[in-house]
Amino acid sequence: MSNTATTTDLDETLERHRVELTGYCYRMLGSSFEAEDAVQDTLVRAWRNYDKFEGRSSVRSWLYRIATNVCLDMLSAGNKRARPMDLTEATPLAQAALSPRPDHTWLEPMPDARVLPTVEDPAEAAVAKESVRLAFMAALQQLPPKQRAVLILREVLAWKASEVAELLGTSVASVNSALQRARATLAEREERGADASVSNPLDEEQQKLLERYVAAFEGYDMTALTALLHEDAVMTMPPFDLWLAGPADITGFMTTLGASCADSRLRPVQANGLPGFAHYKPDEDTGGYTAWAVQVLEISDGRITGFHCFLDTKRWFPLFGLPLHLEAEADQGEQGA
């Protein structure tokens, strides 16, 4: 590259693809931070090797080829990200204990803005959101890495089989075979409509459901919360492997081991194509509220079916651009506004 203008143009060209590449790497890896590392690695490799780019494909296709190779290298260790319910049976409330597992065990949450590019086609936007939802992401993690890449490229990003074959350096027949096997695996894992009925954007009924949820949670009204939970609702709390099933055990946990969450405050976030909240617990030392969890909710048939609390606040709150503390005075002002 001969001059600063050319360098700036290349930086801008590569940067335009960051969000969609992050979405791709996130689906491949199941980790927010690994996805961002993979994209950074991809862009650095592209920048360093741009003079070797011969233009036989688009820059976008070339970047996806680099990103795929980066992700496949990262997946060679065989680690599969999971949710608590993918690893253990539900724990009865009477036996509930908080046992953490290492960070690399868990499927991680991701802000929508970091993985969902702005698109004008509502159908395309809906597919993109559905493809980062927690249930679908967990299913993807069960696929061998190359099948995972084929399924994402063909089903989510709508690439042609010939384009995927060229990217992976294989045949169209091989791509079609991998896609067929991937679809069969996902069909075997298909769950009851965990989040299939979430509208894009949320419809009026779903908005009202969330308003009732915030009122019930902030008021710690377990009767009201029970009315909002599906009979098969689940609650998870990574990095703990404990998960609870059913309104009785969920609300029972919240009034025993989770009792310190009473009088909390919730602030809306968008995560994994789903509604979510930043959860702040009362802080007795300051009189304000301190970061406790990023909650991601799954909704189906007018009820909450999944209630997923990601507790590593020092990682998640900065990722979502959230403060680690809310002042009591500011909070009261917002409540009265």
Side-chain angles (χ1 to χ4, degrees), residues 96-118:
L98 299 177
S99 305
R101 294 201 190 191
D103 289 341
H104 63 73
T105 307
W106 303 117
L107 180 65
E108 297 178 347
M110 184 62 119
D112 285 1
R114 288 181 180 258
V115 291
L116 298 177
T118 302

Short mmCIF file of all heavy atoms in Angstrom, two decimals, residues 96-118:
data_model
loop_
_atom_site.label_atom_id
_atom_site.label_comp_id
_atom_site.label_asym_id
_atom_site.label_seq_id
_atom_site.Cartn_x
_atom_site.Cartn_y
_atom_site.Cartn_z
N ALA A 96 -30.58 -27.48 45.64
CA ALA A 96 -29.91 -26.42 44.90
C ALA A 96 -28.60 -26.02 45.57
O ALA A 96 -28.56 -25.76 46.77
CB ALA A 96 -30.82 -25.20 44.78
N ALA A 97 -27.54 -25.99 44.78
CA ALA A 97 -26.22 -25.54 45.25
C ALA A 97 -25.54 -24.82 44.09
O ALA A 97 -25.72 -25.20 42.93
CB ALA A 97 -25.39 -26.73 45.71
N LEU A 98 -24.79 -23.79 44.40
CA LEU A 98 -24.17 -22.97 43.37
C LEU A 98 -22.73 -23.43 43.13
O LEU A 98 -21.81 -23.08 43.87
CB LEU A 98 -24.21 -21.50 43.78
CG LEU A 98 -25.62 -20.93 43.98
CD1 LEU A 98 -25.56 -19.49 44.45
CD2 LEU A 98 -26.42 -21.03 42.67
N SER A 99 -22.55 -24.26 42.09
CA SER A 99 -21.23 -24.80 41.75
C SER A 99 -20.79 -24.23 40.41
O SER A 99 -21.38 -24.55 39.37
CB SER A 99 -21.29 -26.33 41.66
OG SER A 99 -21.80 -26.89 42.85
N PRO A 100 -19.76 -23.38 40.40
CA PRO A 100 -19.33 -22.78 39.13
C PRO A 100 -18.51 -23.75 38.29
O PRO A 100 -17.88 -24.67 38.80
CB PRO A 100 -18.47 -21.60 39.60
CG PRO A 100 -17.92 -22.03 40.92
CD PRO A 100 -18.98 -22.88 41.55
N ARG A 101 -18.56 -23.54 36.97
CA ARG A 101 -17.67 -24.23 36.04
C ARG A 101 -16.85 -23.18 35.30
O ARG A 101 -17.21 -22.00 35.28
CB ARG A 101 -18.48 -25.07 35.04
CG ARG A 101 -19.23 -26.23 35.68
CD ARG A 101 -19.57 -27.29 34.66
NE ARG A 101 -20.48 -28.29 35.19
CZ ARG A 101 -20.77 -29.44 34.56
NH1 ARG A 101 -20.22 -29.70 33.38
NH2 ARG A 101 -21.60 -30.31 35.10
N PRO A 102 -15.74 -23.56 34.70
CA PRO A 102 -14.87 -22.57 34.02
C PRO A 102 -15.61 -21.80 32.93
O PRO A 102 -16.57 -22.30 32.33
CB PRO A 102 -13.76 -23.44 33.42
CG PRO A 102 -13.76 -24.70 34.23
CD PRO A 102 -15.19 -24.93 34.64
N ASP A 103 -15.15 -20.59 32.66
CA ASP A 103 -15.79 -19.71 31.67
C ASP A 103 -15.95 -20.39 30.31
O ASP A 103 -16.96 -20.21 29.63
CB ASP A 103 -14.97 -18.43 31.48
CG ASP A 103 -15.06 -17.50 32.68
OD1 ASP A 103 -16.01 -17.67 33.48
OD2 ASP A 103 -14.19 -16.63 32.82
N HIS A 104 -14.94 -21.17 29.90
CA HIS A 104 -14.98 -21.74 28.54
C HIS A 104 -16.06 -22.82 28.38
O HIS A 104 -16.30 -23.31 27.29
CB HIS A 104 -13.61 -22.31 28.15
CG HIS A 104 -13.14 -23.46 29.02
ND1 HIS A 104 -13.69 -24.72 28.96
CD2 HIS A 104 -12.18 -23.51 29.98
CE1 HIS A 104 -13.09 -25.52 29.83
NE2 HIS A 104 -12.17 -24.80 30.47
N THR A 105 -16.73 -23.17 29.49
CA THR A 105 -17.83 -24.15 29.43
C THR A 105 -19.06 -23.57 28.74
O THR A 105 -19.77 -24.27 28.02
CB THR A 105 -18.23 -24.59 30.86
OG1 THR A 105 -17.08 -25.03 31.56
CG2 THR A 105 -19.30 -25.68 30.82
N TRP A 106 -19.29 -22.26 28.94
CA TRP A 106 -20.62 -21.72 28.72
C TRP A 106 -20.81 -20.98 27.40
O TRP A 106 -19.94 -20.23 26.96
CB TRP A 106 -20.99 -20.77 29.87
CG TRP A 106 -20.91 -21.43 31.20
CD1 TRP A 106 -20.08 -21.11 32.24
CD2 TRP A 106 -21.67 -22.56 31.64
NE1 TRP A 106 -20.27 -21.96 33.29
CE2 TRP A 106 -21.25 -22.87 32.96
CE3 TRP A 106 -22.67 -23.34 31.06
CZ2 TRP A 106 -21.78 -23.91 33.70
CZ3 TRP A 106 -23.21 -24.38 31.80
CH2 TRP A 106 -22.77 -24.67 33.10
N LEU A 107 -21.97 -21.18 26.83
CA LEU A 107 -22.46 -20.31 25.76
C LEU A 107 -22.63 -18.91 26.35
O LEU A 107 -23.20 -18.75 27.42
CB LEU A 107 -23.80 -20.84 25.26
CG LEU A 107 -24.50 -20.08 24.14
CD1 LEU A 107 -23.69 -20.14 22.86
CD2 LEU A 107 -25.90 -20.65 23.91
N GLU A 108 -22.12 -17.92 25.64
CA GLU A 108 -22.10 -16.56 26.20
C GLU A 108 -23.12 -15.65 25.52
O GLU A 108 -23.43 -15.84 24.34
CB GLU A 108 -20.69 -15.96 26.03
CG GLU A 108 -19.63 -16.74 26.81
CD GLU A 108 -18.23 -16.17 26.61
OE1 GLU A 108 -18.02 -15.34 25.70
OE2 GLU A 108 -17.34 -16.57 27.38
N PRO A 109 -23.64 -14.65 26.24
CA PRO A 109 -24.59 -13.71 25.65
C PRO A 109 -23.88 -12.70 24.76
O PRO A 109 -22.66 -12.50 24.87
CB PRO A 109 -25.19 -13.02 26.87
CG PRO A 109 -24.07 -13.02 27.86
CD PRO A 109 -23.34 -14.31 27.66
N MET A 110 -24.63 -12.06 23.89
CA MET A 110 -24.05 -11.08 22.98
C MET A 110 -25.05 -9.97 22.70
O MET A 110 -26.22 -10.25 22.39
CB MET A 110 -23.65 -11.75 21.67
CG MET A 110 -22.94 -10.85 20.68
SD MET A 110 -21.35 -10.20 21.28
CE MET A 110 -20.21 -10.87 20.08
N PRO A 111 -24.64 -8.69 22.80
CA PRO A 111 -25.54 -7.59 22.43
C PRO A 111 -25.90 -7.67 20.94
O PRO A 111 -25.03 -7.92 20.10
CB PRO A 111 -24.70 -6.34 22.71
CG PRO A 111 -23.59 -6.78 23.60
CD PRO A 111 -23.32 -8.21 23.27
N ASP A 112 -27.17 -7.43 20.64
CA ASP A 112 -27.62 -7.46 19.24
C ASP A 112 -26.77 -6.55 18.35
O ASP A 112 -26.43 -6.91 17.22
CB ASP A 112 -29.08 -7.03 19.15
CG ASP A 112 -30.05 -8.10 19.62
OD1 ASP A 112 -29.59 -9.18 20.05
OD2 ASP A 112 -31.27 -7.86 19.56
N ALA A 113 -26.46 -5.36 18.86
CA ALA A 113 -25.78 -4.37 18.02
C ALA A 113 -24.42 -4.83 17.53
O ALA A 113 -23.91 -4.33 16.52
CB ALA A 113 -25.64 -3.06 18.80
N ARG A 114 -23.81 -5.77 18.23
CA ARG A 114 -22.47 -6.23 17.84
C ARG A 114 -22.50 -7.33 16.79
O ARG A 114 -21.46 -7.64 16.20
CB ARG A 114 -21.71 -6.71 19.07
CG ARG A 114 -21.28 -5.58 20.00
CD ARG A 114 -20.50 -6.13 21.19
NE ARG A 114 -20.08 -5.06 22.08
CZ ARG A 114 -18.86 -4.56 22.14
NH1 ARG A 114 -17.91 -5.02 21.34
NH2 ARG A 114 -18.56 -3.60 23.00
N VAL A 115 -23.68 -7.96 16.58
CA VAL A 115 -23.71 -9.12 15.67
C VAL A 115 -24.80 -9.04 14.61
O VAL A 115 -24.83 -9.87 13.70
CB VAL A 115 -23.89 -10.44 16.46
CG1 VAL A 115 -22.64 -10.75 17.26
CG2 VAL A 115 -25.12 -10.41 17.36
N LEU A 116 -25.70 -8.08 14.71
CA LEU A 116 -26.82 -8.00 13.76
C LEU A 116 -26.69 -6.73 12.93
O LEU A 116 -27.04 -5.64 13.40
CB LEU A 116 -28.16 -8.02 14.50
CG LEU A 116 -28.47 -9.28 15.32
CD1 LEU A 116 -29.80 -9.13 16.05
CD2 LEU A 116 -28.50 -10.52 14.41
N PRO A 117 -26.20 -6.83 11.69
CA PRO A 117 -26.09 -5.65 10.84
C PRO A 117 -27.47 -5.07 10.54
O PRO A 117 -28.49 -5.79 10.56
CB PRO A 117 -25.45 -6.18 9.54
CG PRO A 117 -24.92 -7.53 9.87
CD PRO A 117 -25.74 -8.05 11.00
N THR A 118 -27.53 -3.79 10.28
CA THR A 118 -28.79 -3.15 9.89
C THR A 118 -29.16 -3.60 8.48
O THR A 118 -28.37 -3.46 7.54
CB THR A 118 -28.65 -1.63 9.92
OG1 THR A 118 -28.26 -1.23 11.24
CG2 THR A 118 -29.96 -0.95 9.56
#
